Amino acid sequence: MRFLFKIYSFLPHQIQNIGISIYGYYWKNRRLGKEFKKELLLFKERESFTFKEWEIYQETELRKLLIYAFKNVPFYKEKYAKAGFCLNDFKHFKLADLHKLPFLEKEELRKYGTTLLLSKKKEKGKFYYSSGSTGTPVSIYFSKKTHQKWFAAYESRVLNWAGVSIKNARGMIGGRKIIHKTKAKPPYYRFNKAEKQTYFSAYHIHEKSVKNYVKGIVNHKVEFMVGYAMSNYFLAKLIADKNIKVPKLKAVITSSEKLTKEMRTTFKKAYNCKTYDSYSGMEACGLISENLFGDFLFSPDTGVLELINENGKEVVNGEEGEVVLTGLLNFDQPLIRYRIGDSATKKKNQQTKSGLQMPSILEINGRVEDVIIGKDGKQVVRFHSLFIDITGLIVGQIIQENLNVFVINLTVDHSYSQKSESTILQRLNDILGENNTVDFKYLQEIPKNKNGKFRAVINNIKNV
């Protein structure tokens, strides 16, 4: 499989489809198994919990997590002992006491995620890399068991709530570079037969390529679309503007960027279906998803959600607060009071249209990200892929000053090298083409905007 990854970009697209399907078969078996089936039933059963039952459930699971982490994870053993906690404190720990524990900072996860933050009793697993919209690369450890738990949550609370299943044929627009050349020829998608997944390139969406994207939807009988909100929107807008006929889909399920009313309207026009928003992340320590009734709900069995102000106090419903998450599913690399880097607002009125008693979210406020414009006019988002798995990188930020002029701000440590810089430059050129002017700036700290938030992608071109 590793050999296929190395030679992938040199293969004809038909052979690439075979390689992707082989990997899809492995991925399907990793996520779907006995643990998945068992957990899927449990997630569905818990949906009828009352607020009080959720409180009891979370408190029980939190105690298990804290006791386990104190015993088996060196990072927490040392950190909590320094903060004055002992093992006995966690045996009767209350949800209301959670604020007394120190935060897990993103920089700590970056620094200790592959060492001291791992359990001494961890199950066999793999690291997956992400930087999200914050530009800070992190390594997340997943055992097969944890992966199946997390995917059971996704199936029950994202796909099922949208009226679809993993069994339905889906179209995906995400961050994987399935096509490595900027000026590639069609098709602009690849097919994973094992999972009935058509993976569309996020980097080639353009008015000249839209008909080929539609061909992929039609030929592979796509039933619903998932992935980046902005990239899916760019494609749907071209379909709607050109009045291209597309078979009616069951749903569009978006993530990663803020979903707007305009996007919902465009998806409805292009695909004649409802759109469902979702929010999670590679860290897998909390899930927010939209159901058929339009309720945007946090799943309390995936984690504990805190929304705090600048003083570290819980905000009242209706006020915006920083998202702090404690994951309840991954004991191999526990993320406890993790500052994920986003902000959100709970609804003032927690009564839901569906009758489900889960925390009701008004909006995720921290997912706004600028769009990078290519020389050929295409629009591309989620440029954090520049910074994933770069040795020595602490934080990265890309700023577009002109169509082919960029500033890349970086904070690095001693392990960063010229090779790391070359890798970032090559990734940028792979996405936007050659002949870009790139100014790398190495800073002690990357400046935040006026409201104190960090933006990983900034576009300074006027009238974009």
Side-chain angles (χ1 to χ4, degrees), residues 140-159:
I140 306 300
Y141 187 85
F142 278 91
S143 67
K144 189 174 182 179
K145 183 177 180 180
T146 300
H147 238 143
Q148 292 191 15
K149 282 185 178 181
W150 180 245
F151 198 70
Y154 181 80
E155 171 77 0
S156 60
R157 304 281 168 75
V158 179
L159 298 186

Side-chain angles (χ1 to χ4, degrees), residues 10 15 53 67 99 142 148 173 256 269 316 345 351 425:
F10 302 100
I15 305 301
E53 287 174 320
I67 291 170
H99 72 279
F142 278 91
Q148 292 191 15
I173 306 181
S256 301
K269 186 177 180 181
V316 299
T345 306
Q351 187 174 352
L425 181 60

Side-chain angles (χ1 to χ4, degrees), residues 375-390:
K375 291 187 287 290
D376 59 359
K378 67 183 177 185
Q379 298 174 300
V380 187
V381 293
R382 306 303 289 169
F383 261 73
H384 66 280
S385 59
L386 293 180
F387 306 129
I388 291 175
D389 199 20
I390 295 293

Side-chain angles (χ1 to χ4, degrees), residues 248-430:
K248 175 180 169 62
L249 301 186
K250 295 177 181 291
V252 175
I253 303 172
T254 60
S255 60
S256 301
E257 295 109 14
K258 193 177 184 69
L259 178 67
T260 65
K261 288 183 180 179
E262 181 187 351
M263 290 180 185
R264 290 182 187 271
T265 300
T266 301
F267 290 135
K268 178 71 174 177
K269 186 177 180 181
Y271 303 124
N272 193 24
C273 67
K274 182 176 171 60
T275 302
Y276 299 82
D277 199 6
S278 65
Y279 169 88
S280 57
M282 178 61 72
E283 294 92 338
C285 50
L287 175 65
I288 305 173
S289 50
E290 184 178 350
N291 63 20
L292 182 63
F293 297 86
D295 298 324
F296 196 38
L297 305 177
F298 179 81
S299 289
D301 40 4
T302 61
V304 180
L305 169 67
E306 299 173 78
L307 297 179
I308 63 171
N309 60 24
E310 62 274 9
N311 298 317
K313 303 293 184 182
E314 188 85 15
V315 299
V316 299
N317 292 346
E319 289 185 355
E320 181 179 351
E322 178 189 348
V323 175
V324 177
L325 291 169
T326 298
L328 296 177
L329 301 180
N330 190 352
F331 278 48
D332 298 313
Q333 187 196 50
L335 304 184
I336 303 171
R337 299 210 77 206
Y338 173 56
R339 302 179 74 170
I340 198 165
D342 287 328
S343 61
T345 306
K346 282 186 184 179
K347 279 189 172 181
K348 280 187 177 181
N349 182 358
Q350 286 291 298
Q351 187 174 352
T352 62
K353 294 178 181 178
S354 61
L356 297 180
Q357 295 190 26
M358 300 177 182
S360 185
I361 306 301
L362 179 64
E363 63 177 337
I364 305 297
N365 310 95
R367 291 190 293 172
V368 177
E369 188 173 286
D370 277 358
V371 176
I372 296 295
I373 308 298
K375 291 187 287 290
D376 59 359
K378 67 183 177 185
Q379 298 174 300
V380 187
V381 293
R382 306 303 289 169
F383 261 73
H384 66 280
S385 59
L386 293 180
F387 306 129
I388 291 175
D389 199 20
I390 295 293
T391 301
L393 177 61
I394 298 174
V395 183
Q397 178 187 63
I398 179 170
I399 302 173
Q400 183 172 26
E401 302 290 3
N402 212 321
L403 285 179
N404 64 338
V405 179
F406 299 87
V407 174
I408 295 183
N409 292 324
L410 302 172
T411 300
V412 302
D413 64 24
H414 66 278
S415 61
Y416 184 87
S417 66
Q418 183 61 44
K419 183 180 178 181
S420 301
E421 181 179 294
S422 299
T423 300
I424 295 172
L425 181 60
Q426 183 60 53
R427 289 177 179 179
L428 179 68
N429 290 336
D430 285 345

Side-chain angles (χ1 to χ4, degrees), residues 207 210-211 214 235-247 266 268-271:
E207 59 181 8
V210 61
K211 288 186 178 179
V214 172
L235 176 59
K237 192 173 189 308
L238 287 169
I239 291 172
D241 288 350
K242 290 180 174 295
N243 200 26
I244 301 172
K245 290 186 178 181
V246 179
T266 301
K268 178 71 174 177
K269 186 177 180 181
Y271 303 124

